[in-house]
Amino acid sequence: MTRIDGRKENELRPVHIVTNYLKHPEGSALIEQGDTKIICTASIDDRVPPFMRNTGKGWITAEYAMLPRATEQRNIRESAKGKISGRTMEIQRLIGRALRAVVDLSVIGEKTIWIDCDVIQADGGTRTASITAAYVALALALNKLYEENKMEKFPLTDFLAATSVGIMEEHGTILDLNYSEDSQADVDMNVVMTGSDRFVEIQGTGEESTFSHEQLLELLELAKGGIQQLIQIQREALGPIAEKIGQ
Amino acid sequence: MTRIDGRKENELRPVHIVTNYLKHPEGSALIEQGDTKIICTASIDDRVPPFMRNTGKGWITAEYAMLPRATEQRNIRESAKGKISGRTMEIQRLIGRALRAVVDLSVIGEKTIWIDCDVIQADGGTRTASITAAYVALALALNKLYEENKMEKFPLTDFLAATSVGIMEEHGTILDLNYSEDSQADVDMNVVMTGSDRFVEIQGTGEESTFSHEQLLELLELAKGGIQQLIQIQREALGPIAEKIGQ
Amino acid sequence: MTRIDGRKENELRPVHIVTNYLKHPEGSALIEQGDTKIICTASIDDRVPPFMRNTGKGWITAEYAMLPRATEQRNIRESAKGKISGRTMEIQRLIGRALRAVVDLSVIGEKTIWIDCDVIQADGGTRTASITAAYVALALALNKLYEENKMEKFPLTDFLAATSVGIMEEHGTILDLNYSEDSQADVDMNVVMTGSDRFVEIQGTGEESTFSHEQLLELLELAKGGIQQLIQIQREALGPIAEKIGQ
Amino acid sequence: MTRIDGRKENELRPVHIVTNYLKHPEGSALIEQGDTKIICTASIDDRVPPFMRNTGKGWITAEYAMLPRATEQRNIRESAKGKISGRTMEIQRLIGRALRAVVDLSVIGEKTIWIDCDVIQADGGTRTASITAAYVALALALNKLYEENKMEKFPLTDFLAATSVGIMEEHGTILDLNYSEDSQADVDMNVVMTGSDRFVEIQGTGEESTFSHEQLLELLELAKGGIQQLIQIQREALGPIAEKIGQ
Amino acid sequence: MTRIDGRKENELRPVHIVTNYLKHPEGSALIEQGDTKIICTASIDDRVPPFMRNTGKGWITAEYAMLPRATEQRNIRESAKGKISGRTMEIQRLIGRALRAVVDLSVIGEKTIWIDCDVIQADGGTRTASITAAYVALALALNKLYEENKMEKFPLTDFLAATSVGIMEEHGTILDLNYSEDSQADVDMNVVMTGSDRFVEIQGTGEESTFSHEQLLELLELAKGGIQQLIQIQREALGPIAEKIGQ
Amino acid sequence: MTRIDGRKENELRPVHIVTNYLKHPEGSALIEQGDTKIICTASIDDRVPPFMRNTGKGWITAEYAMLPRATEQRNIRESAKGKISGRTMEIQRLIGRALRAVVDLSVIGEKTIWIDCDVIQADGGTRTASITAAYVALALALNKLYEENKMEKFPLTDFLAATSVGIMEEHGTILDLNYSEDSQADVDMNVVMTGSDRFVEIQGTGEESTFSHEQLLELLELAKGGIQQLIQIQREALGPIAEKIGQ
């Protein structure tokens, strides 16, 4: 049985990444994954947060937001509400944590890289697409640092991408859920993996539902296939910079 | 003496407007005016604010924000600060007020149109370009209402666009300042006008400076010329919808 | 046709300014303009905001508030709401900007003058009356600095006052609107001018309305006449200090 | 040994009360007690807070604030800080509680009286002077209600005033402390009493100090004398309305 | 190699659960797991949040906090900071989501169960111990509802408990990390499982680290063993109520 | 006539104090007074607030909170509301002020002692029981400082405890009100006294009621008796440390 948009269970939506989409940031990428569109930027700041001072190491932190009309119904801006939702906080903590796993922070030195992921249009999978595109923006910004400072080592130790997988009653396990699938899925899992097939983060949730050990293994297998394809797309977007990663 | 980007004193930057840029909103427009890029959306909400209830009339309200890295230096998000700056409030009040001047609110009935202007990339003139593009998004959304509800009258009574003008020591009065010009100008003025050359809003400010009656008249003349060109661009972007305006 | 309070179109309400109304501030003034009563104070702080440090120049910043029962209906305090309204922010930014236009900030040195305008009773025109009275409080505080520090130059370069003008259907253009007139006016304009008839700020707005070039010129002419009278009243209130201004 | 301003230990500062100081509120009073100046207003609201609904009884609530430059050093506005200090909350809870003790809330019916006490100039004793003047503003507002609604009973059951008393090493127990005395006192006590010499509130505090039973009795005796004088001043300010109180 | 507190790799810390620890809540439990001590309560509220109205189903929501001195260093209270941290939000969302997976919300009807987890003393694993104890408090509260309303079905469909597992360089995979272990672990994973060995939530994170598929399988095996023991302890704490679960 | 829980008018509820209840804080105490249960901790911080810097003296500050389900009805957390209530602020200011009266702050040196009082279960008298138990936690923490720093003088100058007293129509004056009594009392008074029978704080309030001089004297007599008993219980809880107090 084909999915609502005609995809197979193990098929990603079409993915396009535009590098250097904006003129001001040190690195930026626009990702379109199906109807999900996100602008990710990486900004270099010559200070680190207090807990990193005098460690000789850098830091990477992320923020995530949606335009009010990225969604079917207009959302109230978090600036107007005066506070950030729990969902937003979870996502931005996840993005920062994931990226830090493939960066050698001691190579960067005491700098902070601010990652901003702003969802222009949302159709499911915004947190995983944010990670995939933020990785590209980060690589571009780090390459600038690397070139300008004539660093000895490129600070990225591996590739990194993310995908959602899930379980729907009528389809079983599926890859890269769009919004309509996500809102009906029994189990929703986000997986972040490196270019060498190692896990950085697994977040699997049965909302009013549960899943078995066998289902878990199937989900992880699907995720691995999707992430390998996404890393190939990142590689193409980055061109010669890709060669420096993990060296 | 030519301006920093080679323009003449009375020359606008190149302006492009993409209509229906996003899939969810009732109306949307992406404007590029030089390096300034803004996404404007118009969302229809079937409720009005408390002070408009039982008046039989609609309301138009606007919000404005910048992506953190729309600018040369990264800005802290207003959602992270937990409050909206005075500058943001001034701009969103201005946008809402300006648009309401050319809408027959009694034709709309008790609905609110939410205008969202999100600056993707900033290079001066973001508040005036927001008004110019928000007008287009609004026209698209109102056309949807007009068609769906088979209204007898199109709710827009006139065209509306905005521009900045200013005074710089080395150039005298100039039209459509970019960021570099704006930060050096002695006098900065924003003008909102209709398609029939009437003023909706004039905000002229000498920051640590003043200006004479003669200079004011020159500034207004420049603004009028720029706004007439902007309205021509709106007209082209809107196509057949443009014919309904002011009928 | 006479106005609701019997004035002519080009007539100000009676204006009284009491200097040094309070004992603690370096400068203070109580203004009564018709039934509008405002206490303005100027406080000298030996620090400047971060963006002015090491520039050798001073800064002037303003805050504006209303007592809860300054108005016909009681307002909720902004401290109780925990945030400042857009209207308040616009007004306090306007007051600070206007005053800075006639102060030689390099003469003051790295100090901040805090202007506080607290409306005790409101009957229209509170932002313009605030500017007129804040100018007097500022002159008193700067005179104290001038005398104590034996400055070579008096820091005020010119006089400065403000008025509202507007358009009402039954009266045409009118000067110095009271609350009742303001709430019915089609066009509302605030004008800030110097003692040498130069503009510092023009803010003209047609709320759900527009105005022509000819109407604009009439409004500016009325404003100029009113401001000249207000400056004469400031001159009398300041006595011998007035002689030092612009020297 | 005479006090810093020449008063005797049991002497109040000069007290003046101006009734109906403002035009909008239902009741208002300006009190000057030495150099302390406070504007108190009473506003009638035709709703009660949720916990009083359907009880048939009214409510009285108070807010208190200082102008930024009421004091020697400028205070940051609580609206700018976005929160109300503990000191302000304590004072406004005290004022409301004290006034409610002499009002027959069932006579008022389901209305709220909002008391606003805004300190224009502070020189000690602002919370007690607020109570004394708020009582007058309240009496004026309740008289308006009484007359308009032709109530059978006047809602005030007694007079009410407040004073501070304290202990200073060089003076022993003293009445009505000014700011300079207050900041040096070992013990500070605020007493609220009725016209029939009954206590409504006693708040005595030894800041880094303590006091004996004998000292307590002396303080209460001083307070009683001061409050009797303040009630006489209220009586004169209220004129014929005073006759209705407690009837 | 034994662990810092002498445990084996697959050994839980000693766990004690006191039921009905407080007198006011419908259900409450104090859990001590090693030096971690948490009070969990379940409160029944006869309303549901807006998004559940008219669905005929209930809702379960959780809040989590730490006493300021639950930890080695004193934490600033979130009430004093005026906002809730991202970590707190993540934890309370996790607790609520986990519990909802084993409750038949349609049996409860339109009621909300508020779960409060307050950490009295923290030594690692507070989020998983919160889930384990909150389940017990929830069972007690639901039993009260069940008995009082003579429900036909007990609303809990299965047991539910949670544990942390992790990877430390010197120990490999370990069960139930204390604070000292947690702060040195390369990989940290929280697992929530039911009494029938099904997953409800898996959150595995390599902070500046990654993990392989084989390590993941080992971690899950350890977690399963720990959770089975925790469920046995819950069973004993609940006594006869345990018999009703899943019937 | 006996009270609701069978006590005599001058009888305290049973009081138990557990010292060193938690492992992390420098001092801690759990107090149970009837059904009221509070955890108090004292934490030593090597900094003082700005206003105490370079004075050579220490500071003591207190925070107070309730678990959401400490009460019959669940309270919304103040962290979730984003602000602290007036009641909480009053209580924490009272606790800090009271304790400072019996500490020689110059002996401590420039350190802050943070007192945290967290109400686990509430049944009236939480602010006075907080003071009584916070005193014990403070003594434990100061003893640790005293021993570690080999201070010459023990910083506590006297014992300190607190109780509520009140007036109920059917009982007259009573000691140590539980929640049910407190909510019906006409007059409510909190008294803080030292071991040498001196007052530190008296806060007596007639909520919609008043009290005479004679009633005041009776209330103070009752309070004195209760406080002497509470100090005896503190003495036993502190054991040999009690001998150092006031030396």
Side-chain angles (χ1 to χ4, degrees), chain C residues 42-106:
Chain C
S43 302
I44 298 171
D45 179 354
D46 287 334
R47 292 161 306 178
V48 282
F51 61 87
M52 293 301 286
R53 284 190 201 133
N54 303 317
T55 61
K57 297 170 79 175
W59 191 246
I60 295 171
T61 191
E63 297 195 352
Y64 165 98
M66 280 201 185
L67 295 203
R69 203 55 200 285
T71 47
E72 185 61 36
Q73 301 299 316
R74 186 178 182 274
N75 296 298
I76 299 174
R77 282 173 198 271
E78 297 192 327
S79 59
K81 282 190 284 190
K83 59 179 176 182
I84 294 175
S85 73
R87 178 183 175 277
T88 294
M89 288 216 194
E90 260 185 51
I91 294 174
Q92 48 198 30
R93 283 160 58 89
L94 168 63
I95 298 170
R97 208 162 55 217
L99 294 173
R100 287 194 298 272
V102 290
V103 178
D104 186 334
L105 296 169
S106 61

Side-chain angles (χ1 to χ4, degrees), chain D residues 5 27 32 49 54 62-63 70 117 128 153 162 205 235:
Chain D
D5 56 2
E32 300 188 13
N54 304 317
E63 297 195 351
C117 300
T128 49
K153 192 178 163 232
T205 297
R235 218 179 252 285

Side-chain angles (χ1 to χ4, degrees), chain A residues 57 59 84-87 89-90 93 97 100-101 105 189 194 197-213 215-217 220, chain E residues 57 59 84-87 89-90 93 97 100-101 105 189 194 197-213 215-217 220:
Chain A
K57 298 170 77 175
W59 191 246
I84 295 174
S85 73
R87 177 183 176 277
M89 288 216 194
E90 260 185 52
R93 283 159 57 90
R97 208 161 56 217
R100 287 193 299 269
L105 296 170
M189 180 171 282
T194 67
D197 293 346
R198 291 180 68 86
F199 295 110
V200 172
E201 187 99 18
I202 300 175
Q203 293 194 341
T205 296
E207 176 73 50
E208 300 175 32
S209 180
T210 63
F211 54 104
S212 70
H213 193 79
Q215 288 174 312
L216 171 62
L217 295 181
L220 295 175
Chain E
K57 297 171 78 176
W59 191 246
I84 294 175
S85 73
R87 179 183 174 275
M89 287 215 195
E90 258 185 54
R93 283 159 58 91
R97 206 161 58 215
R100 287 194 297 271
L105 296 169
M189 180 172 281
T194 66
D197 294 345
R198 290 179 68 87
F199 296 110
V200 172
E201 187 100 18
I202 299 175
Q203 294 194 340
T205 297
E207 175 74 49
E208 300 174 32
S209 181
T210 62
F211 55 104
S212 70
H213 194 79
Q215 287 174 314
L216 171 63
L217 295 182
L220 295 175

Side-chain angles (χ1 to χ4, degrees), chain C residues 6-48:
Chain C
R7 282 187 288 154
K8 284 176 290 181
E9 275 66 13
N10 64 352
E11 190 178 345
L12 288 178
R13 291 175 289 177
V15 178
H16 301 285
I17 296 177
V18 180
T19 54
N20 296 314
Y21 181 68
L22 297 179
K23 76 170 193 176
H24 297 304
E26 284 72 27
S28 65
L30 168 70
I31 190 169
E32 298 188 15
Q33 185 156 356
D35 276 342
T36 289
K37 294 188 196 184
I38 306 170
I39 296 173
C40 295
T41 65
S43 302
I44 298 171
D45 179 354
D46 287 334
R47 292 161 306 178
V48 282

Side-chain angles (χ1 to χ4, degrees), chain E residues 57-132:
Chain E
K57 297 171 78 176
W59 191 246
I60 295 172
T61 191
E63 297 194 353
Y64 167 97
M66 281 201 184
L67 294 203
R69 203 54 200 285
T71 49
E72 187 61 34
Q73 303 298 319
R74 185 177 183 275
N75 296 296
I76 300 174
R77 283 173 198 271
E78 298 192 324
S79 58
K81 282 190 284 193
K83 61 179 172 181
I84 294 175
S85 73
R87 179 183 174 275
T88 294
M89 287 215 195
E90 258 185 54
I91 294 175
Q92 50 199 27
R93 283 159 58 91
L94 168 63
I95 298 170
R97 206 161 58 215
L99 294 173
R100 287 194 297 271
V102 290
V103 177
D104 186 334
L105 296 169
S106 61
V107 172
I108 297 176
E110 294 201 6
K111 291 182 197 308
T112 297
I113 317 287
W114 289 85
I115 301 295
D116 287 287
C117 300
D118 284 88
V119 179
I120 300 301
Q121 191 166 277
D123 187 29
T126 61
R127 81 185 69 187
T128 50
S130 289
I131 291 171
T132 303

Side-chain angles (χ1 to χ4, degrees), chain C residues 111-145:
Chain C
K111 292 184 197 305
T112 298
I113 317 287
W114 288 85
I115 301 295
D116 286 288
C117 301
D118 285 89
V119 180
I120 300 302
Q121 191 166 277
D123 188 28
T126 61
R127 81 184 69 190
T128 49
S130 289
I131 290 171
T132 302
Y135 178 84
V136 172
L138 175 63
L140 293 167
L142 289 178
N143 188 50
K144 194 168 264 184
L145 263 189

